[in-house]
Amino acid sequence: MHVLVTGGAGYVGSVVSAHLLAAGHRVTVLDDLSTGHADAVAPGAALVPGSIADRAATDVAFGRSTIDAVVHCAAKSLVAESVRAPELYWSNNVGGSLALLEAMRKHGVGRIVFSSTAATYGEPESVPILESAPARPTNPYGSSKLAVDQMLASYANAYGFSAVSLRYFNVAGALIGDGLSLGERHATETHLIPIALQVAAGTRPALSVFGTAYPTPDGTCVRDYIHIIDLADAHLRALEWTARSEQAHLVCNLGSGSGNSVLEVVEAVRRVTGSPTPTVAHPNRSGDPAVLIASNGLAQEVLGWAPTRDLEQMVLDAWNFAQQPARSA
Ligand code: UDP
């Protein structure tokens, strides 16, 4: 199939593109390169530089040849920024997605896999979190992603779209090999594993541990980490699901189904890197729930997907990626 990957110059979109190409599919990337990198576009994919909100750009992307389906990763994705400047999130994530869906209608494409997030759930009542749990996001980033999930449900109902919202938990790791090196290169890095690896490499003095008195076994937050390659594989399976489903919207969690605390992640970083990786206790980061763990039963049942790479592998791959020659952030 020929897949249009929006945000294909970013972390998730680049690895999804590479995975699709390796499986024998054709990929066109639509990316405005605002946070992505042209040199991260998977070799073999065609790049259309432009925004999902720009009709001229989507006309080029859809018009080049027949697109069978869309993987929609283009988005703003910084929680703190979304609190500071919510208009960016309503405009890019919600307005941009609406423009993309309208372009899909115009060009007769009705299959889409969307990068949704565990942030749509907010503070969970219980873990593991099922897809049927209430969606009560606690920041504009999560709200904007939930709005798009709801948009997809309405387009499935009204226009026969076949859509999957993949709710990612904590994505980590990199894709290295076969001449490829794709990983996290955020100008503003907020995620635990890349920051801890910067400390291990000596480019940051210490890791601030946000909260040490949570009601968890070691007092630090527990999250559900998933390898980027496992995540990419779920996108391919979700695309296959859209081919056999009509007028349907599936919401599906992507996580390992188990959790690791911040201190367990630091221990993994120490084991992999051999660096002492100093930490300093820091107050809780506002809006951080104590424990977020996915139920991944639906992904297993409906998509036939299961995670295959553990935390150690995520840290090792992210470390190997970070150790490579400097590239622009
Ligand atoms: N965290 C931390 N120090 C950091 C960055 C993150 O202690 O410098 C914690 C954060 O509070 C959360 C976990 O690590 O409990 C994962 O945070 P991240 O930002 O990677 O992902 P999130 O769970 O917010 O999507």
Side-chain angles (χ1 to χ4, degrees):
M1 67 190 141
H2 186 180
V3 182
L4 177 66
V5 179
T6 74
Y11 174 43
V12 173
S14 64
V15 177
V16 168
S17 299
H19 193 75
L20 292 173
L21 288 161
H25 300 292
R26 218 177 131 189
V27 173
T28 294
V29 164
L30 175 62
D31 197 303
D32 67 3
L33 303 177
S34 57
T35 52
H37 305 272
D39 63 357
V41 173
L47 171 65
V48 176
S51 162
I52 51 173
D54 176 0
R55 181 55 73 95
T58 52
D59 278 349
V60 172
F62 283 103
R64 265 202 189 155
S65 71
T66 314
I67 298 285
D68 299 296
V70 174
V71 173
H72 178 27
C73 301
K76 295 224 154 264
S77 60
L78 296 172
V79 170
E81 180 186 60
S82 81
V83 174
R84 259 195 334 268
E87 71 283 3
L88 295 177
Y89 286 72
W90 295 113
S91 159
N92 282 279
N93 294 4
V94 180
S97 296
L98 178 59
L100 177 70
L101 296 193
E102 284 303 290
M104 289 176 67
R105 281 180 67 203
K106 176 178 170 187
H107 293 277
V109 179
R111 293 167 55 197
I112 180 166
V113 174
F114 171 58
S115 297
S116 186
T117 168
T120 53
Y121 295 113
E123 179 92 40
E125 281 164 10
S126 60
V127 293
I129 303 173
L130 289 160
E131 288 81 354
S132 55
R136 291 190 289 241
T138 53
N139 53 63
Y141 166 67
S143 301
S144 71
K145 289 284 181 174
L146 178 60
V148 178
D149 288 349
Q150 293 170 337
M151 206 185 283
L152 291 172
S154 68
Y155 272 63
N157 177 56
Y159 302 123
F161 272 44
S162 172
V164 181
S165 292
L166 294 175
R167 291 191 171 161
Y168 310 162
F169 280 64
N170 290 62
V171 187
L175 171 61
I176 299 172
D178 294 335
L180 292 172
S181 178
L182 301 170
E184 283 187 88
R185 289 162 67 187
H186 299 131
T188 311
E189 190 50 77
T190 62
H191 291 124
L192 176 62
I193 291 176
I195 290 177
L197 291 174
Q198 288 171 5
V199 175
T203 54
R204 273 185 203 244
L207 174 77
S208 299
V209 176
F210 297 146
T212 52
Y214 279 97
T216 57
D218 65 20
T220 66
C221 286
V222 170
R223 294 289 180 273
D224 182 332
Y225 294 88
I226 167 178
H227 197 293
I228 184 78
I229 297 175
D230 284 331
L231 187 93
D233 181 49
H235 287 70
L236 176 53
R237 290 165 185 270
L239 282 168
E240 288 163 352
W241 182 91
T242 63
R244 56 179 191 267
S245 313
E246 271 174 38
Q247 198 153 18
H249 177 227
L250 173 71
V251 172
C252 192
N253 290 341
L254 290 183
S256 70
S258 63
N260 289 102
S261 72
V262 173
L263 293 184
E264 285 172 345
V265 170
V266 172
E267 280 308 322
V269 166
R270 288 176 178 148
R271 278 196 302 276
V272 165
T273 65
S275 152
T277 316
T279 61
V280 283
H282 203 272
N284 297 8
R285 194 168 62 176
S286 136
D288 261 348
V291 181
L292 292 176
I293 296 174
S295 159
N296 63 15
L298 191 69
Q300 300 208 20
E301 188 188 316
V302 179
L303 303 181
W305 175 87
T308 63
R309 293 166 175 83
D310 63 11
L311 179 67
E312 202 91 3
Q313 188 73 49
M314 292 176 223
V315 171
L316 178 62
D317 291 347
W319 177 241
N320 286 333
F321 178 76
Q323 292 299 98
Q324 290 179 353
R327 44 175 102 64
S328 63

